[in-house]
Amino acid sequence: MTEFEAFAIDLSRIAAQAALPLFRGQYAQENKAGPGAFDPVTQADRAAEAAIRQAISARYPDHGVIGEEYGEDRPDAEHVWVLDPIDGTRAFIAGLPSWTTLVALRHQDQAVIGAIGQPYLDEIFIGGPSGGFALARGKTSRLKTRACARLEDALIATTDADIFIGPDREAWTRLRAASRLARFGCDAYAYAMLAAGYIDLVAETELQLWDWSALKPVIEAAGGRFTDWQGQPPSDGRVVAVGDARLTDQALAVLNPG
């Protein structure tokens, strides 16, 4: 692997050292949302991002960082690390091992390396110039998406149907009806399973830069495609990831019937 790919793995492990001891334990948490809503952040989120940022600063002081919890630092740098210390905080506080740490490296505003780490399961999924790999319990294997030529045969996923509002909800309902099976509640771990060849399509909306930057390189290195709902690079928070490129046009036709 390249130096930066290896460092992305190191950062995933550093985040794990900060977050995993708190999982299914006692820790501080608060609600970032206003009245009537719930957007949790925990001590683990903040500790993991702080640890990653410290490691980046020590190793590459000229690199920029964009993180969910602590904002932007030199976001216009040539190399910028994009961090979601715990994607799936709701899963974390529920004791479910589907939360992940997302680490991405953007070079000249393009995501070129991504790492999806699940510390409790001892898994890291990495994608970059060297290809896609799964590091699990001391073993390394190549990531490879599976073939699925027809949407009607596809196993699809999203975090929660309630993330879709208005026309987006109608679009998701059509996509669900056109597929074979849908799974919910996996957050970014669904994309790791797509890259590993177990899920065929993931569609979501309202994603932030730190939510998807690590996912795109992993999916593409495994042989899949990652676009917005118009088949272009993600820009508005709507994404579609497929393991088999033949699904892209079918999915986009369902999401955008006009």
Side-chain angles (χ1 to χ4, degrees):
M1 294 187 183
T2 66
E3 175 184 337
F4 289 152
E5 288 170 314
F7 188 58
I9 292 173
D10 290 343
L11 294 178
S12 291
R13 290 175 172 152
I14 288 168
Q17 291 171 0
L20 192 56
L22 298 173
F23 183 53
R24 296 181 178 173
Q26 300 297 316
Y27 49 84
Q29 61 177 283
E30 61 186 75
N31 181 15
K32 295 188 292 185
F38 184 58
D39 184 13
V41 61
T42 73
Q43 177 184 351
D45 293 83
R46 290 171 173 156
E49 184 169 323
I52 298 172
R53 283 175 174 268
Q54 183 177 19
I56 294 170
S57 178
R59 180 78 171 268
Y60 301 111
D62 59 328
H63 285 197
V65 180
I66 299 173
E68 180 176 13
E69 305 306 332
Y70 294 111
E72 298 182 349
D73 182 14
R74 295 185 298 280
D76 297 325
E78 180 180 359
H79 294 89
V80 178
W81 295 90
V82 182
L83 315 173
D84 190 346
I86 295 183
D87 181 272
T89 300
R90 292 168 177 81
F92 186 95
I93 65 178
L96 301 173
S98 55
W99 56 278
T100 57
T101 292
L102 303 181
V103 176
L105 177 63
R106 294 175 68 84
H107 179 240
Q108 298 179 343
D109 208 32
Q110 299 296 318
V112 295
I113 294 171
I116 306 170
Q118 209 312 301
Y120 189 77
L121 300 176
D122 191 17
E123 296 176 334
I124 299 174
F125 304 86
I126 178 82
S130 300
F133 299 90
L135 289 70
R137 294 170 290 282
K139 298 181 179 180
T140 301
S141 59
R142 282 275 185 179
L143 286 174
K144 176 63 178 169
T145 60
R146 70 182 181 185
C148 180
R150 303 187 305 171
L151 182 58
E152 63 193 74
D153 296 327
L155 193 166
I156 73 173
T158 196
T159 295
D160 190 326
D162 288 342
I163 67 174
F164 300 102
I165 300 172
D168 287 356
R169 181 64 174 266
E170 297 171 5
W172 164 257
T173 301
R174 291 192 300 269
L175 188 67
R176 170 65 186 93
S179 67
R180 172 170 289 181
L181 175 67
R183 296 289 84 195
F184 301 91
C186 295
D187 298 288
Y189 194 68
Y191 297 88
M193 292 299 95
L194 188 152
Y198 297 106
I199 291 175
D200 300 302
L201 181 151
V202 184
E204 294 191 291
T205 188
E206 303 295 330
L207 297 189
Q208 302 296 324
L209 185 69
W210 49 77
D211 292 317
W212 64 262
S213 288
L215 310 177
K216 188 174 187 290
V218 176
I219 296 298
E220 293 178 343
R225 288 192 66 193
F226 192 97
T227 71
D228 68 7
W229 286 18
Q230 283 71 47
Q232 301 301 315
S235 61
D236 64 356
R238 296 176 176 89
V239 305
V240 177
V242 300
D244 188 323
R246 291 173 291 183
L247 290 177
T248 298
D249 289 344
Q250 298 171 58
L252 296 182
V254 173
L255 292 170
N256 306 289

